[in-house]
Amino acid sequence: MDRESSAVDISINIPNSLTIFRILLVPVFVGLLLYEHYDLALLTLLIAALTDVLDGMIARMTDQRTRLGEYLDPLADKLLLMSAIITLSVLHVIPIWAVIVVVSRDAILLTGTLVANLTETNIDISPTVLGKGTTFAQICYVIVTMLSVTGRVPLLLVEPFLWVMVVLTVGSGTHYLFRGIQYLNVANTETDLKGPQS
């Protein structure tokens, strides 16, 4: 890759700027939650969700997709979601078992990615439809939970979102795990067919 194409891949354009802004909103959101400014925390969360929609839309419409954005966008989503879920659990709003499910899934996927990189195995880390659905369900659950905390929706409405999120989280985690195992098996088979290198 030449120097010019590398510069394009890491350029800070409008979509990437929105993604960075979303990352910067994470400590603001957590701080507002911990100090029980729930209305402002909810507003911050909604602004962050809006930037998530806008950066993807702008990147597609203006063809400003970059390598940096491919890494930053999911990182921003994970930081926001994990911070929200863990902080709300600390405040005894979200059950701890749900946090364990969400964090365990991401920890397993991260471990698998690291193992693949260490073994130089080429795997597909692109998000699937199920994975995107899981992220959307997690965002919806956090927003509905925040609406409940601020008294805007009854607590009874939160539980269905919780179970949908948990089912999708477990389902997508299992799917990613099996997909990774398949890539590893294919890589091992190709290595065996090539035989020892002289």
Side-chain angles (χ1 to χ4, degrees):
M1 181 179 294
D2 59 27
R3 185 173 300 176
E4 184 178 349
S5 59
S6 299
V8 172
D9 282 345
I10 63 172
S11 62
I12 305 299
N13 51 28
I14 294 176
N16 290 345
S17 298
L18 288 171
T19 303
I20 293 171
F21 177 65
R22 186 158 77 255
I23 293 175
L24 295 176
L25 285 178
V26 172
V28 176
F29 172 70
V30 171
L32 290 171
L33 272 183
L34 292 176
Y35 284 97
E36 300 182 0
H37 298 297
Y38 298 126
D39 287 323
L40 289 176
L42 176 59
L43 178 61
T44 303
L45 180 62
L46 293 175
I47 292 173
L50 179 61
T51 65
D52 190 20
V53 174
L54 287 177
D55 64 21
M57 186 183 302
I58 293 172
R60 286 189 297 270
M61 292 177 62
T62 61
D63 194 23
Q64 294 187 37
R65 287 171 288 192
T66 64
R67 187 74 171 172
L68 177 62
E70 290 178 6
Y71 286 102
L72 273 184
D73 190 58
L75 174 63
D77 291 340
K78 287 300 173 189
L79 284 174
L80 181 63
L81 284 171
M82 289 299 101
S83 299
I85 290 173
I86 292 173
T87 306
L88 288 170
S89 176
V90 169
L91 296 173
H92 305 291
V93 177
I94 289 179
I96 187 65
W97 63 264
V99 180
I100 293 173
V101 169
V102 173
V103 173
S104 296
R105 169 199 181 258
D106 288 340
I108 291 171
L109 296 181
L110 178 60
T111 302
T113 303
L114 290 175
V115 169
N117 287 332
L118 290 173
T119 58
E120 297 183 351
T121 302
N122 186 24
I123 63 171
D124 183 9
I125 60 172
S126 61
T128 63
V129 173
L130 188 57
K132 292 179 179 179
T134 299
T135 300
F136 180 72
Q138 290 175 349
I139 292 173
C140 288
Y141 172 62
V142 170
I143 290 176
V144 171
T145 300
M146 289 295 302
L147 288 171
S148 174
V149 169
T150 58
R152 288 177 170 80
V153 299
L155 184 61
L156 187 64
L157 291 180
V158 177
E159 190 166 350
F161 284 90
L162 170 62
W163 286 109
V164 169
M165 181 202 70
V166 168
V167 169
L168 287 176
T169 299
V170 173
S172 64
T174 304
H175 178 252
Y176 280 128
L177 185 61
F178 276 108
R179 188 174 73 166
I181 291 173
Q182 286 179 334
Y183 274 100
L184 288 173
N185 288 337
V186 169
N188 289 334
T189 301
E190 290 177 349
T191 301
D192 292 340
L193 291 174
K194 290 179 181 178
Q197 297 291 328
S198 57

